[in-house]
Amino acid sequence: MKNLLIPLAACILLSCAAKEPALKTAFDGKFILGAAVNTVQITGADVKGDSVLLRHFGAVEPENCMKSAEIMPVFGQYNWDMADKYVDFGTRNGLLVYGHCLIWHSQLTPDFCYDKEGNLISPEELKARMKQHITTVVSRYKGRIKGWDVVNEAILDNGEWRPSPFYQILGEEFIPWAFQCAHEADPDCELYYNDYSMHIPAKLETAIKLAKTLQERGIRIDALGFQGHIGMDYPNLDLYERHIRRVKDETGLDVCITELDMSILPTVTMSADIAEMSRVERQAFFNPYENGVPEDVNAAWNARMGDVLDMFLRNADAVRRINVWGVSDDDSWKNGWPIPGRKDYPLWFDRSFNMKPFLSKYINGTK
Ligand code: G3I
């Protein structure tokens, strides 16, 4: 009986929400609109979140359940449960299902790159393990995943390669190898390189060079993922726009905005004056909106997010997909990062699942 109640509740909520035009149709012909989902949404326990998701978004990304440490806690030993539920959830609801992420230095299976003595494995062994993992995961969902973040965050802000275990063992060759393995496992699947802070020129340069290297070697890459974890004071939107254009003009590739959220909180830069603050002052500085956001601050957030979306719309020829990194504010990883206990308001739906004001002009056709 309980299992029947969840779909019933979702139907009731969906019918209430049905009066509000759907966001995804507002952007039809512009770009695909998606959202990251967590385990509560995947399992249907977040009835309100799912009703917003299914009403307004046409695509999904897995916030955590397909990362190597989550899907393969020990190398070669898979726990498919949540990943299967995620793909079934997306497929069952007629959504475009994306995969995130095959090779990443974080949330990495602890023994992926190490032997039993804890030493880095050989290049040959790492290539074999990467092929085994990528082939196992990608072929399991062959034909059901529209695109994969094949490699995530391999470039540092200064444009150098991140000294991850993958890089330490194989150098930058681990990246083409990952893309080749993914393509062989599902030749029709779109493949992306994904990273944050792509507004930083040095980082973008390396990403563009990477894309060109793959293209020159005849290795499939379909788009660059700009994660889009932004703030009220970064990035400069003209610069961000120029970078989107550069990717399109210099590589022919589209950009996917893969993890969009915009923190309303002050950007954390540890400086001397913070060190002088009392605990109470520091709490107030770092977590100013625990009990709600002042009207003027909310208005500024909505104005800037509207400018961001308008910029993406101006460049819809180059922006293939926008994926927000969560459904409603309560879902966001930004609650508690980089400082535990913060309350942030970074997504497109608030904690009561109301659409934020900046979106109204798009669904009322006034944009
Ligand atoms: O699964 C464990 C659970 O068993 C345990 O009880 C709980 C207690 O801490 O932790 C759970 O793991 C958490 C995991 O999310 C799943 O919820 C980790 O602690 C937590 O650190 C992890 O955070 C994720 C973060 O990546 C890790 O770097 C965020 O949810 C996720 O939004 C975030 O997403 C990344 C993208 O994948 C890549 N781009 C950056 C973005 C933000 O870091």
Side-chain angles (χ1 to χ4, degrees):
M1 184 57 183
K2 188 170 71 72
N3 288 342
L4 185 66
L5 283 179
I6 290 180
L8 189 60
C11 291
I12 293 166
L13 282 159
L14 270 174
S15 62
C16 300
K19 288 187 282 297
E20 186 177 55
L23 263 182
K24 59 191 169 188
T25 44
F27 300 128
D28 257 350
K30 297 289 185 186
F31 36 64
I32 295 162
L33 187 65
V37 287
N38 58 35
T39 54
V40 181
Q41 284 136 3
I42 291 167
T43 54
D46 179 7
V47 173
K48 287 187 175 179
D50 282 352
S51 64
V52 166
L53 174 80
L54 299 182
R55 173 95 197 122
H56 291 292
F57 296 93
V60 281
E61 285 230 14
E63 185 177 16
N64 286 295
C65 70
M66 288 186 141
K67 293 166 179 174
S68 68
E70 300 283 336
I71 202 170
M72 182 182 63
V74 175
F75 189 83
Q77 295 175 23
Y78 287 91
N79 170 0
W80 297 111
D81 180 54
M82 196 50 71
D84 284 355
K85 283 189 170 80
Y86 161 71
V87 177
D88 292 344
F89 171 84
T91 315
R92 181 172 70 244
N93 287 292
L95 301 169
L96 292 174
V97 183
Y98 290 86
H100 171 83
C101 44
L102 294 170
I103 297 295
W104 188 29
H105 66 280
S106 184
Q107 290 179 273
L108 174 65
T109 303
D111 62 339
F112 199 124
C113 299
Y114 297 92
D115 63 21
K116 295 207 181 323
E117 288 69 46
N119 304 309
L120 288 174
I121 54 178
S122 69
E124 298 69 31
E125 176 62 16
L126 178 59
K127 286 185 77 171
R129 289 191 189 185
M130 285 176 68
K131 186 169 184 65
Q132 179 182 328
H133 175 59
I134 293 168
T135 305
T136 304
V137 177
V138 174
S139 48
R140 184 181 181 88
Y141 303 112
K142 184 174 178 180
R144 304 176 70 198
I145 297 272
K146 173 78 177 166
W148 273 102
D149 288 340
V150 177
V151 173
N152 193 42
E153 303 177 11
I155 303 168
L156 297 175
D157 286 358
N158 65 5
E160 290 173 8
W161 297 110
R162 181 186 300 275
S164 70
F166 298 103
Y167 181 79
Q168 291 174 52
I169 297 169
L170 277 172
E172 59 195 85
E173 264 310 301
F174 83 91
I175 302 175
W177 179 245
F179 276 82
Q180 272 177 266
C181 295
H183 181 60
E184 283 165 20
D186 186 350
D188 298 328
C189 187
E190 294 181 7
L191 306 177
Y192 321 120
Y193 172 75
N194 190 50
D195 215 327
Y196 60 86
S197 297
M198 294 286 260
H199 60 282
I200 297 177
K203 189 161 201 174
L204 185 84
E205 288 302 335
T206 304
I208 286 177
K209 280 190 197 124
L210 167 63
K212 287 181 173 177
T213 301
L214 295 176
Q215 289 171 323
E216 284 152 13
R217 289 170 60 171
I219 297 170
R220 180 170 182 164
I221 178 169
D222 293 271
L224 287 183
F226 284 32
Q227 289 182 5
H229 296 299
I230 62 178
M232 292 297 286
D233 53 357
Y234 74 91
N236 171 289
L237 296 189
D238 292 339
L239 176 66
Y240 214 43
E241 183 168 17
R242 286 200 300 276
H243 283 199
I244 291 170
R245 293 300 341 156
R246 278 198 57 195
V247 171
K248 189 69 177 175
D249 298 343
E250 296 178 32
T251 69
L253 294 179
D254 285 345
V255 164
C256 294
I257 308 297
T258 53
E259 306 178 18
L260 184 61
D261 51 31
M262 183 165 79
S263 179
I264 205 168
L265 297 170
T267 302
V268 175
T269 45
M270 299 313 283
S271 61
D273 55 340
I274 292 174
E276 299 305 310
M277 287 180 185
S278 70
R279 195 184 59 76
V280 171
E281 286 167 331
R282 203 174 302 192
Q283 175 67 8
F285 176 78
F286 283 120
N287 191 25
Y289 308 132
E290 178 67 33
N291 301 311
V293 182
E295 216 169 287
D296 61 326
V297 177
N298 248 332
W301 186 96
N302 276 275
R304 179 167 162 85
M305 188 53 101
D307 292 344
V308 169
L309 190 45
D310 287 346
M311 185 270 279
F312 292 152
L313 281 163
R314 272 200 309 277
N315 296 277
D317 66 303
V319 176
R320 179 174 297 197
R321 171 167 58 100
I322 293 181
N323 184 83
V324 291
W325 203 241
V327 176
S328 68
D329 285 339
D330 231 7
D331 296 328
S332 178
W333 71 292
K334 299 294 277 188
N335 295 310
W337 188 92
I339 296 169
R342 294 187 109 193
K343 189 170 184 180
D344 208 337
Y345 304 74
L347 295 170
W348 287 12
F349 287 80
D350 66 23
R351 286 175 168 79
S352 304
F353 300 94
N354 298 313
M355 187 185 283
K356 292 190 178 172
F358 79 97
L359 286 165
S360 53
K361 67 182 179 181
Y362 303 100
I363 58 170
N364 298 329
T366 56
K367 183 65 198 167

